[in-house]
Amino acid sequence: MNLIQIIFDFFLILSCINLFVICDDFPSPRAAQASSLVNNKLYFFGGVFADNFTNEVWYLDLSNSFNLSVLPWHKDQGLPVAVAFASSCVSPIDNSSVFLIWWKHDTCL
Ligand SMILES: *[C@@H]1O[C@H](CO)[C@@H](O)[C@H](O)[C@H]1NC(C)=O
Ligand SMILES: *[C@@H]1O[C@H](CO)[C@@H](O)[C@H](O)[C@H]1NC(C)=O
Ligand SMILES: *[C@@H]1O[C@H](CO)[C@@H](O)[C@H](O)[C@H]1NC(C)=O
């Protein structure tokens, strides 16, 4: 393997890593998600993207200011099931448990 090939491979691998990081750091555009403010974190649960329901959970930490052009998304552990069109509310008992209520169905339309 010559030097040019090694450099080419290095940048190819680097661009794949960047792609992975970008995919992991931003939620895909979606609809029908539920959201709740838990302490200083604004959570988004489930929703529909690419015609599928998702179990993804994302949040924005609102305790620090941030640039609105570059939202600091955090991905949390996924829900055990994919949900969309759900309602959510935070329990006043501990201010951190979230109740999600949804109508069970697993495909959109
Ligand atoms: C959506 O679901 C279909 C059927 O299960 C699957 O073939 C497809 O890969 C899924 N799309 C995405 C983006 O996950
Ligand atoms: C916010 O992010 C955008 C895009 O990266 C950048 O152009 C802009 O200068 C940033 N604004 C501030 C106040 O940092
Ligand atoms: C939950 O938050 C409310 C409003 O901030 C507060 O009055 C209440 O004491 C909190 N409850 C607990 C268990 O922390």
Side-chain angles (χ1 to χ4, degrees), residues 40-88:
N40 287 324
K41 292 176 181 164
L42 182 57
Y43 278 87
F44 296 89
F45 305 98
V48 179
F49 68 84
D51 289 336
N52 290 337
F53 285 21
T54 178
N55 70 339
E56 288 179 1
V57 177
W58 292 84
Y59 68 86
L60 288 170
D61 188 347
L62 305 180
S63 58
N64 297 308
S65 60
F66 51 81
N67 184 339
L68 286 176
S69 305
V70 195
L71 295 177
W73 288 107
H74 299 276
K75 192 173 190 178
D76 212 329
Q77 189 180 347
L79 300 167
V81 290
V83 298
F85 305 100
S87 294
S88 63

